[in-house]
Amino acid sequence: PLWFRCRQRSDPLTSLLTANRLTLCTMAAITSSELAKHARPGDMWMAIDGDVYDVSKFARIHPGGAKVLEQLAGNDVTTEFYELHRHEVLTKYKRLKIGCLETAEDSTRSPDDESNISSIPFAELPAFQGQISPYFKQSHTCFME
């Protein structure tokens, strides 16, 4: 396999691998135009922090619904991702990673950096988890689909 330098990272493993703290990506370098081609249901790629993920099959089980993934597919969704998710989610779903963006810049996010933690608590609404709520009607459910 070809080795590509994706971007700088600040994790301890990286510093052990390379003296200049660059992460080597064993996966393909993906251009922005290639990423944009994968933006339809059944074929969805997204870039987060310079890494590209294939979320095609994951869309069926995404807690927020497949629609939001379909709307954002084919783009760099780093900002949108971190508005709703913690960095640990990327670790959990690292098997979905298929490559790195060629244009990836140095990573500015670090899971240990407290400035990246929102002061606003986030939790998925119980109504969207299947629990009965007097506040959420069928129209809300249709919106999520």
Side-chain angles (χ1 to χ4, degrees), residues 26-43:
T26 60
M27 300 175 187
I30 298 169
T31 64
S32 296
S33 60
E34 177 68 21
L35 176 66
K37 292 178 186 177
H38 300 274
R40 62 183 189 279
D43 182 23

Side-chain angles (χ1 to χ4, degrees), residues 1-64:
L2 298 173
W3 290 81
F4 296 95
R5 282 187 273 168
C6 293
R7 64 184 200 278
Q8 287 186 336
R9 290 206 183 162
S10 58
D11 57 277
L13 179 60
T14 302
S15 59
L16 292 174
L17 292 174
T18 59
N20 60 356
R21 299 177 68 83
L22 289 173
T23 299
L24 297 177
C25 183
T26 60
M27 300 175 187
I30 298 169
T31 64
S32 296
S33 60
E34 177 68 21
L35 176 66
K37 292 178 186 177
H38 300 274
R40 62 183 189 279
D43 182 23
M44 297 184 288
W45 291 5
M46 297 180 163
I48 303 168
D49 273 346
D51 293 330
V52 178
Y53 297 86
D54 183 348
V55 296
S56 305
K57 294 178 182 176
F58 173 73
R60 291 181 290 124
I61 62 168
H62 182 248

Side-chain angles (χ1 to χ4, degrees), residues 7 9 46-53 55 77-78 81-82 85-97 107 109 111:
R7 64 184 200 278
R9 290 206 183 162
M46 297 180 163
I48 303 168
D49 273 346
D51 293 330
V52 178
Y53 297 86
V55 296
V77 296
T78 302
F81 177 84
Y82 283 111
H85 303 86
R86 297 179 60 88
H87 184 76
E88 290 79 17
V89 173
L90 294 177
T91 306
K92 181 177 179 181
Y93 292 104
K94 64 184 174 188
R95 68 183 180 281
L96 300 177
K97 182 179 170 185
S107 178
R109 297 189 186 272

Side-chain angles (χ1 to χ4, degrees), residues 79-119:
T79 303
E80 292 85 350
F81 177 84
Y82 283 111
E83 286 176 352
L84 297 172
H85 303 86
R86 297 179 60 88
H87 184 76
E88 290 79 17
V89 173
L90 294 177
T91 306
K92 181 177 179 181
Y93 292 104
K94 64 184 174 188
R95 68 183 180 281
L96 300 177
K97 182 179 170 185
I98 57 171
C100 301
L101 278 179
E102 278 186 343
T103 58
E105 298 177 5
D106 294 348
S107 178
T108 57
R109 297 189 186 272
S110 168
D112 299 328
D113 184 5
E114 290 185 17
S115 66
N116 288 331
I117 298 173
S118 172
S119 60

